[in-house]
Amino acid sequence: MKAIRYHQIGDPTVLRWEDAETPAPGAGEVLIAVRAAGVNFADTERRRGLYDAAAPLPRILGSEAAGVVHSVGPGVDAAWVGRRVVAFTPACYAEFTKASLDVVFPLPDNVSFEMAASIPVQGLTAYHLVNTAGRVAKGQWVLVHSAAGGVGLLATQMVKALGGKVIGTVSTDAKAAQARDAGADAVLRYDQVEGEVPRITEGHGVDLVLDAVGADTWRASLKSLAPFGHLILYGSASGEVPKLDVDAELMPRSLKVSAYWLRSPHPAELQQRAMSSLLEDVAAGRLRITIGLQLPLTEAVEAHRRLESRATVGKVVLTV
Ligand SMILES: NC(=O)c1ccc[n+]([C@@H]2O[C@H](COP(=O)([O-])OP(=O)(O)OC[C@H]3O[C@@H](n4cnc5c(N)ncnc54)[C@H](OP(=O)(O)O)[C@@H]3O)[C@@H](O)[C@H]2O)c1
């Protein structure tokens, strides 16, 4: 098969379209002919050696793909062959990828491969930030950083569906329009957060902050919180957050800081429920997937370039 691989850490140009061995599905696995693969910010961090740096090279990036089951491994019902599916599995920037059946989900007819490939990483992350880690309740204020990004647009819609109120942050006017379109009640530039959040929330502050920007935002995130408020750190697009001083930063207003990572252990039943709920909501039109950039898999270099230069909104998808 052909795949996008990289042999060394570096800028987007290390990604190469080349021959790679077609994976063989093992026991309990299926081989999927990939039609669309999702691109995530973490893929650019892996390629730059900032994340998962110990993984052996050459490596095929990608953690999610949608396509058609091509063949099955030992012990898997042959009825899977030909089914349209989405999978949350590694090595998806390729013509074929294999996946264990516990991370393979049949696709509703009206969910396209491109939409489906947008769901596992950003959808599950947004779902767990809002429902599992954040437990958003009606009437709460939530500050969603990078609100026009893949996770941000989904999290915004989910908070609104639960009756919460969203303040989003973005870097450009075009992104502000996207965040508003997803339901954000107010949209700010990052440097407006400290000044504007008290005004917008009438002195209350926000009950929850979803922050994957990190170094540039954590201080304003903490300052924006209402007493007993909760900051969830789930990424560091602008750099790492320094060690927090509990006495100085958290005690005075009884604040809570936590972390969320999709690759931490999740109960299998919770993950199945989350994925089913996401697919149902997308199929029913209750959750809108915004594909901001769709390119052929052969153009992965350009996809990475645009994602890490902050030039994308919503999801970036590579098609085969
Ligand atoms: N913890 C987890 O399990 C998990 C899972 C998925 C994603 N994440 C994290 O969540 C974040 C969003 O992921 P995503 O895939 O949905 O990406 P994304 O939000 O579509 O893209 C990243 C966005 O971050 C914003 N940003 C702020 N400062 C930045 C900087 N210095 N460099 C680059 N971008 C910057 C940009 O939006 P503006 O231009 O509007 O600032 C950019 O568009 C990433 O940090 C990612 O690593 C974490």
Side-chain angles (χ1 to χ4, degrees):
M1 68 171 186
K2 289 277 194 191
I4 292 284
R5 297 201 301 187
Y6 63 110
H7 295 248
Q8 76 216 51
I9 297 302
D11 70 18
T13 60
V14 298
L15 298 174
R16 290 196 216 150
W17 176 243
E18 61 186 17
D19 290 330
E21 203 170 318
T22 305
E29 294 179 337
V30 296
L31 183 68
I32 299 167
V34 175
R35 297 290 180 79
V39 179
N40 290 287
F41 196 78
D43 299 342
T44 69
E45 295 179 322
R46 287 185 176 98
R47 199 212 66 234
R48 284 187 282 159
L50 301 177
Y51 181 44
D52 258 358
L57 301 179
R59 183 174 189 196
I60 301 174
L61 285 171
S63 303
E64 55 193 353
V68 176
V69 175
H70 178 270
S71 55
V72 299
V76 177
D77 188 344
W80 277 94
V81 174
R83 279 193 196 158
R84 298 170 76 249
V85 294
V86 60
F88 177 29
T89 192
C92 291
Y93 289 15
E95 290 176 322
F96 291 92
T97 191
K98 65 176 184 171
S100 165
L101 268 189
D102 57 346
V103 291
V104 173
F105 304 86
L107 282 188
D109 288 343
N110 66 339
V111 177
S112 68
F113 292 124
E114 292 79 10
M115 270 153 68
S118 308
I119 296 174
V121 175
Q122 294 172 347
L124 287 171
T125 300
Y127 178 97
H128 289 303
L129 286 170
V130 171
N131 296 287
T132 315
R135 296 172 189 250
V136 171
K138 195 169 182 225
Q140 284 187 329
W141 278 105
V142 182
L143 175 59
V144 178
H145 284 302
S146 49
V151 175
L153 287 177
L154 295 174
T156 296
Q157 294 176 69
M158 290 174 190
V159 170
K160 293 301 294 178
L162 290 167
K165 292 172 281 188
V166 173
I167 301 172
T169 57
V170 296
S171 64
T172 67
D173 286 348
K175 290 188 179 192
Q178 290 283 343
R180 262 188 223 102
D181 201 40
D185 297 271
V187 183
L188 302 174
R189 297 303 153 86
Y190 295 95
D191 62 3
Q192 294 179 307
V193 168
E194 275 189 56
E196 288 294 300
V197 165
R199 186 188 63 76
I200 295 166
T201 61
E202 295 172 344
H204 174 76
V206 293
D207 303 289
L208 176 68
V209 184
L210 307 181
D211 189 345
V213 176
D216 290 351
T217 46
W218 71 273
R219 195 175 291 280
S221 294
L222 276 183
K223 284 196 173 152
S224 303
L225 285 171
F228 294 96
H230 181 187
L231 163 61
I232 306 179
L233 296 166
Y234 71 102
S236 48
S238 66
E240 297 293 326
V241 173
K243 282 213 171 80
L244 293 179
D245 180 336
V246 173
D247 285 353
E249 311 274 8
L250 308 186
M251 291 279 193
R253 280 176 301 130
S254 303
L255 302 180
K256 172 170 151 186
V257 177
S258 72
Y260 176 74
W261 192 30
L262 183 58
R263 285 173 59 190
S264 64
H266 289 55
E269 171 269 329
L270 171 66
Q271 211 58 314
Q272 296 277 336
R273 186 153 32 91
M275 197 63 196
S276 302
S277 154
L278 286 161
L279 283 167
E280 279 166 25
D281 283 350
V282 171
R286 288 187 294 267
L287 183 66
R288 193 152 39 95
I289 303 282
T290 302
I291 298 177
L293 179 64
Q294 183 174 317
L295 290 170
L297 179 57
T298 48
E299 291 181 34
V301 171
E302 182 60 17
H304 272 223
R305 229 180 236 141
R306 293 213 221 160
L307 182 56
E308 68 193 46
S309 65
R310 304 170 76 158
T312 59
V313 293
K315 187 68 188 178
V316 179
V317 175
L318 296 169
T319 55
V320 179

